mmCIF file of all heavy atoms in Angstrom:
data_model
loop_
_atom_site.group_PDB
_atom_site.id
_atom_site.type_symbol
_atom_site.label_atom_id
_atom_site.label_comp_id
_atom_site.label_asym_id
_atom_site.label_seq_id
_atom_site.Cartn_x
_atom_site.Cartn_y
_atom_site.Cartn_z
ATOM 1 N N ILE A 37 16.988 32.496 -38.574
ATOM 2 C CA ILE A 37 18.023 33.237 -37.841
ATOM 3 C C ILE A 37 19.196 32.230 -37.726
ATOM 4 O O ILE A 37 19.096 31.291 -36.924
ATOM 5 C CB ILE A 37 17.583 33.747 -36.566
ATOM 6 C CG1 ILE A 37 16.413 34.674 -36.739
ATOM 7 C CG2 ILE A 37 18.737 34.405 -35.765
ATOM 8 C CD1 ILE A 37 15.674 35.001 -35.396
ATOM 9 N N ALA A 38 20.265 32.407 -38.546
ATOM 10 C CA ALA A 38 21.294 31.356 -38.556
ATOM 11 C C ALA A 38 22.235 31.476 -37.416
ATOM 12 O O ALA A 38 23.023 32.471 -37.299
ATOM 13 C CB ALA A 38 22.054 31.551 -39.856
ATOM 14 N N VAL A 40 25.495 30.697 -35.173
ATOM 15 C CA VAL A 40 26.900 30.459 -35.580
ATOM 16 C C VAL A 40 27.350 29.089 -34.910
ATOM 17 O O VAL A 40 27.176 28.979 -33.704
ATOM 18 C CB VAL A 40 27.888 31.540 -35.120
ATOM 19 C CG1 VAL A 40 29.334 31.288 -35.484
ATOM 20 C CG2 VAL A 40 27.529 32.890 -35.752
ATOM 21 N N ALA A 51 40.766 43.145 -36.091
ATOM 22 C CA ALA A 51 39.324 43.392 -35.893
ATOM 23 C C ALA A 51 38.928 44.738 -36.358
ATOM 24 O O ALA A 51 39.517 45.696 -35.942
ATOM 25 C CB ALA A 51 38.862 43.072 -34.498
ATOM 26 N N VAL A 52 37.882 44.803 -37.154
ATOM 27 C CA VAL A 52 37.330 46.073 -37.609
ATOM 28 C C VAL A 52 36.059 46.291 -36.829
ATOM 29 O O VAL A 52 34.983 45.785 -37.089
ATOM 30 C CB VAL A 52 36.912 46.208 -39.155
ATOM 31 C CG1 VAL A 52 36.427 47.589 -39.547
ATOM 32 C CG2 VAL A 52 38.207 45.862 -39.917
ATOM 33 N N ILE A 53 36.184 47.150 -35.797
ATOM 34 C CA ILE A 53 35.145 47.361 -34.800
ATOM 35 C C ILE A 53 35.291 48.747 -34.145
ATOM 36 O O ILE A 53 36.286 49.062 -33.702
ATOM 37 C CB ILE A 53 34.966 46.200 -33.799
ATOM 38 C CG1 ILE A 53 33.897 46.349 -32.852
ATOM 39 C CG2 ILE A 53 36.293 45.913 -33.153
ATOM 40 C CD1 ILE A 53 33.419 45.048 -32.112
ATOM 41 N N ALA A 54 34.214 49.546 -34.101
ATOM 42 C CA ALA A 54 34.386 50.857 -33.463
ATOM 43 C C ALA A 54 34.475 50.763 -32.025
ATOM 44 O O ALA A 54 33.944 49.869 -31.368
ATOM 45 C CB ALA A 54 33.046 51.585 -33.824
ATOM 46 N N GLY A 55 35.263 51.694 -31.464
ATOM 47 C CA GLY A 55 35.525 51.690 -30.039
ATOM 48 C C GLY A 55 34.329 51.858 -29.176
ATOM 49 O O GLY A 55 34.301 51.179 -28.054
ATOM 50 N N ASP A 56 33.261 52.495 -29.673
ATOM 51 C CA ASP A 56 32.067 52.531 -28.797
ATOM 52 C C ASP A 56 31.038 51.529 -29.175
ATOM 53 O O ASP A 56 29.940 51.555 -28.630
ATOM 54 C CB ASP A 56 31.445 53.996 -29.001
ATOM 55 C CG ASP A 56 31.014 54.360 -30.403
ATOM 56 O OD1 ASP A 56 31.294 53.447 -31.304
ATOM 57 O OD2 ASP A 56 30.407 55.370 -30.631
ATOM 58 N N SER A 57 31.330 50.527 -29.947
ATOM 59 C CA SER A 57 30.524 49.413 -30.261
ATOM 60 C C SER A 57 30.485 48.452 -28.999
ATOM 61 O O SER A 57 31.620 48.272 -28.458
ATOM 62 C CB SER A 57 30.876 48.551 -31.541
ATOM 63 O OG SER A 57 29.995 48.801 -32.477
ATOM 64 N N TYR A 58 29.425 47.816 -28.748
ATOM 65 C CA TYR A 58 29.390 46.929 -27.533
ATOM 66 C C TYR A 58 29.739 45.475 -27.893
ATOM 67 O O TYR A 58 29.341 45.089 -28.988
ATOM 68 C CB TYR A 58 28.054 47.047 -26.847
ATOM 69 C CG TYR A 58 27.984 48.129 -25.869
ATOM 70 C CD1 TYR A 58 27.671 49.428 -26.279
ATOM 71 C CD2 TYR A 58 28.246 47.908 -24.562
ATOM 72 C CE1 TYR A 58 27.658 50.529 -25.380
ATOM 73 C CE2 TYR A 58 28.286 49.049 -23.623
ATOM 74 C CZ TYR A 58 27.902 50.313 -24.026
ATOM 75 O OH TYR A 58 27.971 51.367 -23.144
ATOM 76 N N VAL A 59 30.458 44.870 -27.015
ATOM 77 C CA VAL A 59 30.699 43.455 -27.156
ATOM 78 C C VAL A 59 30.292 42.573 -25.871
ATOM 79 O O VAL A 59 30.300 43.177 -24.805
ATOM 80 C CB VAL A 59 32.238 43.177 -27.464
ATOM 81 C CG1 VAL A 59 32.633 43.867 -28.775
ATOM 82 C CG2 VAL A 59 33.110 43.577 -26.192
ATOM 83 N N TYR A 71 32.452 39.070 -28.657
ATOM 84 C CA TYR A 71 31.394 38.860 -29.685
ATOM 85 C C TYR A 71 30.621 40.242 -29.813
ATOM 86 O O TYR A 71 30.091 40.664 -28.818
ATOM 87 C CB TYR A 71 30.382 37.840 -29.232
ATOM 88 C CG TYR A 71 31.033 36.505 -28.743
ATOM 89 C CD1 TYR A 71 31.417 36.337 -27.467
ATOM 90 C CD2 TYR A 71 31.258 35.504 -29.669
ATOM 91 C CE1 TYR A 71 32.000 35.203 -27.022
ATOM 92 C CE2 TYR A 71 31.745 34.360 -29.251
ATOM 93 C CZ TYR A 71 32.214 34.158 -28.013
ATOM 94 O OH TYR A 71 32.732 33.025 -27.568
ATOM 95 N N SER A 72 30.625 40.844 -30.978
ATOM 96 C CA SER A 72 29.876 42.096 -31.179
ATOM 97 C C SER A 72 28.420 41.849 -30.939
ATOM 98 O O SER A 72 27.796 40.865 -31.406
ATOM 99 C CB SER A 72 30.083 42.527 -32.619
ATOM 100 O OG SER A 72 28.954 43.229 -33.073
ATOM 101 N N LEU A 73 27.782 42.753 -30.113
ATOM 102 C CA LEU A 73 26.339 42.531 -29.835
ATOM 103 C C LEU A 73 25.585 42.658 -31.176
ATOM 104 O O LEU A 73 24.536 42.065 -31.329
ATOM 105 C CB LEU A 73 25.942 43.540 -28.779
ATOM 106 C CG LEU A 73 26.454 43.485 -27.348
ATOM 107 C CD1 LEU A 73 25.638 44.411 -26.501
ATOM 108 C CD2 LEU A 73 26.446 42.093 -26.901
ATOM 109 N N ASN A 74 26.035 43.511 -32.021
ATOM 110 C CA ASN A 74 25.359 43.675 -33.369
ATOM 111 C C ASN A 74 25.344 42.445 -34.192
ATOM 112 O O ASN A 74 24.400 42.028 -34.870
ATOM 113 C CB ASN A 74 25.962 44.805 -34.118
ATOM 114 C CG ASN A 74 25.691 46.126 -33.431
ATOM 115 O OD1 ASN A 74 24.689 46.351 -32.801
ATOM 116 N ND2 ASN A 74 26.681 47.046 -33.589
ATOM 117 N N LEU A 75 26.499 41.639 -34.093
ATOM 118 C CA LEU A 75 26.491 40.366 -34.755
ATOM 119 C C LEU A 75 25.701 39.365 -34.055
ATOM 120 O O LEU A 75 24.879 38.567 -34.708
ATOM 121 C CB LEU A 75 27.933 39.800 -34.823
ATOM 122 C CG LEU A 75 28.936 40.305 -35.893
ATOM 123 C CD1 LEU A 75 30.244 39.614 -35.819
ATOM 124 C CD2 LEU A 75 28.333 40.147 -37.291
ATOM 125 N N LEU A 76 25.676 39.344 -32.803
ATOM 126 C CA LEU A 76 24.788 38.410 -31.982
ATOM 127 C C LEU A 76 23.337 38.707 -32.232
ATOM 128 O O LEU A 76 22.505 37.826 -32.273
ATOM 129 C CB LEU A 76 25.084 38.626 -30.448
ATOM 130 C CG LEU A 76 26.350 37.888 -29.945
ATOM 131 C CD1 LEU A 76 26.504 38.259 -28.493
ATOM 132 C CD2 LEU A 76 26.165 36.320 -30.114
ATOM 133 N N ASN A 77 22.981 39.986 -32.428
ATOM 134 C CA ASN A 77 21.597 40.387 -32.825
ATOM 135 C C ASN A 77 21.167 39.624 -34.027
ATOM 136 O O ASN A 77 20.065 39.104 -34.209
ATOM 137 C CB ASN A 77 21.345 41.895 -32.981
ATOM 138 C CG ASN A 77 21.434 42.639 -31.683
ATOM 139 O OD1 ASN A 77 21.074 41.959 -30.707
ATOM 140 N ND2 ASN A 77 21.623 43.855 -31.667
ATOM 141 N N ASN A 78 22.094 39.526 -34.976
ATOM 142 C CA ASN A 78 21.729 38.854 -36.313
ATOM 143 C C ASN A 78 21.678 37.288 -36.223
ATOM 144 O O ASN A 78 21.063 36.666 -36.955
ATOM 145 C CB ASN A 78 22.734 39.237 -37.291
ATOM 146 C CG ASN A 78 22.141 40.249 -38.233
ATOM 147 O OD1 ASN A 78 21.078 40.800 -38.042
ATOM 148 N ND2 ASN A 78 22.752 40.340 -39.470
ATOM 149 N N HIS A 79 22.475 36.765 -35.308
ATOM 150 C CA HIS A 79 22.665 35.311 -35.243
ATOM 151 C C HIS A 79 22.014 34.675 -33.970
ATOM 152 O O HIS A 79 21.831 33.424 -33.851
ATOM 153 C CB HIS A 79 24.087 34.941 -35.319
ATOM 154 C CG HIS A 79 24.714 35.385 -36.618
ATOM 155 N ND1 HIS A 79 24.582 34.606 -37.769
ATOM 156 C CD2 HIS A 79 25.403 36.470 -36.931
ATOM 157 C CE1 HIS A 79 25.215 35.169 -38.823
ATOM 158 N NE2 HIS A 79 25.655 36.378 -38.348
ATOM 159 N N GLU A 80 21.791 35.564 -32.995
ATOM 160 C CA GLU A 80 21.242 35.118 -31.687
ATOM 161 C C GLU A 80 22.127 34.259 -30.797
ATOM 162 O O GLU A 80 22.187 34.368 -29.605
ATOM 163 C CB GLU A 80 19.831 34.493 -31.752
ATOM 164 C CG GLU A 80 18.763 35.393 -32.381
ATOM 165 C CD GLU A 80 18.228 36.451 -31.447
ATOM 166 O OE1 GLU A 80 18.896 36.586 -30.364
ATOM 167 O OE2 GLU A 80 17.298 37.204 -31.810
ATOM 168 N N VAL A 82 25.918 31.955 -30.634
ATOM 169 C CA VAL A 82 27.188 31.470 -31.053
ATOM 170 C C VAL A 82 27.480 30.171 -30.227
ATOM 171 O O VAL A 82 27.685 30.307 -29.048
ATOM 172 C CB VAL A 82 28.323 32.498 -30.898
ATOM 173 C CG1 VAL A 82 29.680 31.993 -31.409
ATOM 174 C CG2 VAL A 82 28.041 33.703 -31.706
ATOM 175 N N TRP A 95 22.874 36.825 -25.811
ATOM 176 C CA TRP A 95 22.734 38.068 -24.897
ATOM 177 C C TRP A 95 21.248 38.535 -24.877
ATOM 178 O O TRP A 95 20.463 38.091 -25.716
ATOM 179 C CB TRP A 95 23.605 39.115 -25.291
ATOM 180 C CG TRP A 95 23.161 40.076 -26.286
ATOM 181 C CD1 TRP A 95 23.002 39.735 -27.700
ATOM 182 C CD2 TRP A 95 22.644 41.457 -26.126
ATOM 183 N NE1 TRP A 95 22.552 40.914 -28.309
ATOM 184 C CE2 TRP A 95 22.326 41.904 -27.410
ATOM 185 C CE3 TRP A 95 22.542 42.281 -25.018
ATOM 186 C CZ2 TRP A 95 21.818 43.175 -27.555
ATOM 187 C CZ3 TRP A 95 22.063 43.529 -25.260
ATOM 188 C CH2 TRP A 95 21.687 43.979 -26.543
ATOM 189 N N TRP B 63 33.794 48.036 -26.960
ATOM 190 C CA TRP B 63 35.040 47.411 -27.457
ATOM 191 C C TRP B 63 36.310 47.990 -26.955
ATOM 192 O O TRP B 63 37.239 47.371 -26.526
ATOM 193 C CB TRP B 63 34.996 47.373 -28.972
ATOM 194 C CG TRP B 63 36.281 47.025 -29.665
ATOM 195 C CD1 TRP B 63 37.077 47.828 -30.434
ATOM 196 C CD2 TRP B 63 36.983 45.788 -29.538
ATOM 197 N NE1 TRP B 63 38.198 47.185 -30.794
ATOM 198 C CE2 TRP B 63 38.125 45.936 -30.322
ATOM 199 C CE3 TRP B 63 36.708 44.576 -29.006
ATOM 200 C CZ2 TRP B 63 39.046 44.917 -30.490
ATOM 201 C CZ3 TRP B 63 37.633 43.546 -29.112
ATOM 202 C CH2 TRP B 63 38.731 43.680 -29.843
ATOM 203 N N VAL B 75 38.440 37.943 -31.504
ATOM 204 C CA VAL B 75 37.139 38.651 -31.839
ATOM 205 C C VAL B 75 36.399 37.814 -32.918
ATOM 206 O O VAL B 75 36.955 37.343 -33.998
ATOM 207 C CB VAL B 75 37.334 39.988 -32.490
ATOM 208 C CG1 VAL B 75 36.045 40.725 -32.709
ATOM 209 C CG2 VAL B 75 38.308 40.820 -31.516
ATOM 210 N N LEU B 76 35.134 37.480 -32.630
ATOM 211 C CA LEU B 76 34.239 36.647 -33.555
ATOM 212 C C LEU B 76 34.201 37.420 -34.886
ATOM 213 O O LEU B 76 33.963 38.710 -34.931
ATOM 214 C CB LEU B 76 32.830 36.540 -33.034
ATOM 215 C CG LEU B 76 31.970 35.830 -33.885
ATOM 216 C CD1 LEU B 76 32.220 34.385 -34.008
ATOM 217 C CD2 LEU B 76 30.434 36.085 -33.443
ATOM 218 N N SER B 77 34.433 36.689 -35.950
ATOM 219 C CA SER B 77 34.403 37.207 -37.299
ATOM 220 C C SER B 77 33.413 36.278 -38.161
ATOM 221 O O SER B 77 33.678 35.099 -38.220
ATOM 222 C CB SER B 77 35.778 37.281 -37.897
ATOM 223 O OG SER B 77 35.784 37.920 -39.165
ATOM 224 N N VAL B 78 32.312 36.887 -38.667
ATOM 225 C CA VAL B 78 31.377 36.144 -39.403
ATOM 226 C C VAL B 78 31.449 36.629 -40.919
ATOM 227 O O VAL B 78 31.193 37.846 -41.106
ATOM 228 C CB VAL B 78 29.988 36.212 -38.860
ATOM 229 C CG1 VAL B 78 28.986 35.455 -39.731
ATOM 230 C CG2 VAL B 78 29.870 35.813 -37.460
ATOM 231 N N ASN B 79 31.846 35.858 -41.760
ATOM 232 C CA ASN B 79 32.057 36.170 -43.205
ATOM 233 C C ASN B 79 32.952 37.477 -43.199
ATOM 234 O O ASN B 79 32.709 38.404 -43.960
ATOM 235 C CB ASN B 79 30.688 36.504 -43.994
ATOM 236 C CG ASN B 79 29.816 35.227 -43.864
ATOM 237 O OD1 ASN B 79 30.299 34.137 -44.095
ATOM 238 N ND2 ASN B 79 28.514 35.417 -43.768
ATOM 239 N N SER B 80 34.055 37.397 -42.461
ATOM 240 C CA SER B 80 35.046 38.465 -42.451
ATOM 241 C C SER B 80 34.484 39.731 -41.997
ATOM 242 O O SER B 80 34.999 40.854 -42.197
ATOM 243 C CB SER B 80 35.597 38.611 -43.747
ATOM 244 O OG SER B 80 36.285 37.496 -44.298
ATOM 245 N N ILE B 81 33.386 39.683 -41.062
ATOM 246 C CA ILE B 81 32.841 40.912 -40.519
ATOM 247 C C ILE B 81 32.930 40.770 -38.987
ATOM 248 O O ILE B 81 32.410 39.750 -38.481
ATOM 249 C CB ILE B 81 31.462 41.162 -41.055
ATOM 250 C CG1 ILE B 81 31.422 41.486 -42.486
ATOM 251 C CG2 ILE B 81 30.731 42.218 -40.217
ATOM 252 C CD1 ILE B 81 30.078 41.538 -43.161
ATOM 253 N N GLU B 82 33.429 41.756 -38.336
ATOM 254 C CA GLU B 82 33.461 41.685 -36.802
ATOM 255 C C GLU B 82 32.454 42.446 -36.184
ATOM 256 O O GLU B 82 32.198 42.443 -34.913
ATOM 257 C CB GLU B 82 34.903 42.219 -36.305
ATOM 258 C CG GLU B 82 35.998 41.175 -36.674
ATOM 259 C CD GLU B 82 36.519 41.426 -38.144
ATOM 260 O OE1 GLU B 82 36.788 42.409 -38.533
ATOM 261 O OE2 GLU B 82 36.554 40.410 -38.860
ATOM 262 N N ASP B 83 31.868 43.433 -36.906
ATOM 263 C CA ASP B 83 30.773 44.331 -36.379
ATOM 264 C C ASP B 83 29.923 44.799 -37.546
ATOM 265 O O ASP B 83 30.250 44.682 -38.709
ATOM 266 C CB ASP B 83 31.336 45.454 -35.681
ATOM 267 C CG ASP B 83 30.381 46.154 -34.764
ATOM 268 O OD1 ASP B 83 29.361 45.641 -34.425
ATOM 269 O OD2 ASP B 83 30.629 47.381 -34.402
ATOM 270 N N GLN B 84 28.645 45.177 -37.130
ATOM 271 C CA GLN B 84 27.844 45.701 -38.249
ATOM 272 C C GLN B 84 26.880 46.742 -37.663
ATOM 273 O O GLN B 84 26.932 46.990 -36.441
ATOM 274 C CB GLN B 84 26.999 44.623 -38.872
ATOM 275 C CG GLN B 84 26.108 43.881 -37.919
ATOM 276 C CD GLN B 84 25.465 42.705 -38.508
ATOM 277 O OE1 GLN B 84 26.112 41.644 -38.859
ATOM 278 N NE2 GLN B 84 24.163 42.738 -38.636
ATOM 279 N N ALA B 85 25.996 47.347 -38.500
ATOM 280 C CA ALA B 85 25.155 48.361 -37.962
ATOM 281 C C ALA B 85 24.234 47.813 -36.874
ATOM 282 O O ALA B 85 23.847 46.653 -36.845
ATOM 283 C CB ALA B 85 24.246 48.840 -39.238
ATOM 284 N N ASP B 86 23.820 48.755 -35.898
ATOM 285 C CA ASP B 86 22.907 48.315 -34.895
ATOM 286 C C ASP B 86 21.475 48.410 -35.366
ATOM 287 O O ASP B 86 20.971 49.533 -35.572
ATOM 288 C CB ASP B 86 23.122 49.381 -33.682
ATOM 289 C CG ASP B 86 22.124 49.086 -32.615
ATOM 290 O OD1 ASP B 86 21.354 48.083 -32.634
ATOM 291 O OD2 ASP B 86 22.197 49.859 -31.602
ATOM 292 N N THR B 87 20.923 47.262 -35.614
ATOM 293 C CA THR B 87 19.475 47.231 -36.148
ATOM 294 C C THR B 87 18.434 47.292 -35.111
ATOM 295 O O THR B 87 17.247 47.327 -35.353
ATOM 296 C CB THR B 87 19.284 45.961 -36.975
ATOM 297 O OG1 THR B 87 19.630 44.825 -36.049
ATOM 298 C CG2 THR B 87 20.194 45.908 -38.158
ATOM 299 N N TYR B 88 18.867 47.337 -33.794
ATOM 300 C CA TYR B 88 17.931 47.390 -32.740
ATOM 301 C C TYR B 88 17.820 48.771 -31.982
ATOM 302 O O TYR B 88 17.241 48.827 -30.854
ATOM 303 C CB TYR B 88 18.143 46.302 -31.700
ATOM 304 C CG TYR B 88 17.644 44.932 -32.127
ATOM 305 C CD1 TYR B 88 18.425 44.091 -32.964
ATOM 306 C CD2 TYR B 88 16.534 44.500 -31.642
ATOM 307 C CE1 TYR B 88 18.001 42.883 -33.376
ATOM 308 C CE2 TYR B 88 15.994 43.158 -31.957
ATOM 309 C CZ TYR B 88 16.693 42.466 -32.925
ATOM 310 O OH TYR B 88 16.338 41.188 -33.218
ATOM 311 N N SER B 89 18.525 49.767 -32.427
ATOM 312 C CA SER B 89 18.619 51.038 -31.719
ATOM 313 C C SER B 89 17.264 51.615 -31.373
ATOM 314 O O SER B 89 17.000 52.151 -30.376
ATOM 315 C CB SER B 89 19.435 51.998 -32.488
ATOM 316 O OG SER B 89 18.908 52.303 -33.804
#
Side-chain angles (χ1 to χ4, degrees):
Chain A
I37 301 170
V40 177
V52 179
I53 180 166
D56 61 356
S57 248
Y58 274 83
V59 298
Y71 311 86
S72 150
L73 296 192
N74 293 326
L75 279 183
L76 280 174
N77 283 339
N78 254 18
H79 297 279
E80 296 289 8
V82 177
W95 85 289
Chain B
W63 167 244
V75 184
L76 177 70
S77 184
V78 179
N79 298 325
S80 303
I81 293 172
E82 291 80 53
D83 194 18
Q84 61 185 69
D86 179 1
T87 52
Y88 279 83
S89 58

